[in-house]
Amino acid sequence: MESKISLIISFLFVGLLEIGLSIPLILEKVPPNYLYGFRTKKTLSNKEIWYKANKYTGKDLLVIGLILLVGALILLIFRAKLSVLVIDYVGLVLILIPLLIVLVRGFRYLSKL
């Protein structure tokens, strides 16, 4: 049971991290840099593009962080009925698929700038 809770807490942490990382991007507080943000040749070449692309992807990152938090809370509620393996797979799906969607949406948006 303890391993289930530890796993779910790690998913909650990732959701909170995604939310925490998204807020400065949405508020346009992160200047172009090589460490943090939606970093591509195009975004790094133009400040206006940098802020637009990072604001857009930051909003998506906020949404997926919230989805992960809700998903992790649901896992927490039903943990007694779920195996560690099921919790692990559900958590990974809640992390990886939304991140892939954010990445695809970010590049599609970037191509329009």
Side-chain angles (χ1 to χ4, degrees):
M1 183 66 88
E2 192 174 307
S3 62
K4 289 180 183 181
I5 293 175
S6 298
L7 193 55
I8 294 168
I9 288 172
S10 68
F11 296 140
L12 287 168
F13 175 76
V14 172
L16 290 171
L17 182 64
E18 289 173 342
I19 292 168
L21 291 172
S22 72
I23 293 170
L25 296 172
I26 294 167
L27 297 175
E28 299 182 1
K29 298 291 185 187
V30 180
N33 68 84
Y34 291 96
L35 297 175
Y36 172 36
F38 189 33
R39 300 169 320 274
T40 68
K41 192 173 186 177
K42 188 171 182 178
T43 59
L44 291 169
S45 69
N46 182 304
K47 276 189 175 188
E48 183 179 344
I49 291 173
W50 169 269
Y51 286 111
K52 284 182 180 181
N54 278 282
K55 186 172 191 167
Y56 182 86
T57 54
K59 289 177 184 178
D60 281 354
L61 190 61
L62 176 66
V63 170
I64 69 167
L66 292 170
I67 289 169
L68 183 54
L69 282 181
V70 170
L73 290 173
I74 291 169
L75 288 173
L76 191 60
I77 291 167
F78 294 104
R79 73 185 178 276
K81 297 178 182 182
L82 302 171
S83 70
V84 172
L85 191 60
V86 168
I87 291 171
D88 191 28
Y89 283 140
V90 170
L92 287 174
V93 166
L94 287 172
I95 292 171
L96 297 178
I97 292 175
L99 278 175
L100 182 61
I101 292 169
V102 168
L103 191 61
V104 169
R105 284 176 43 88
F107 277 108
R108 289 179 80 190
Y109 180 75
L110 186 59
S111 72
K112 296 175 186 175
L113 294 178

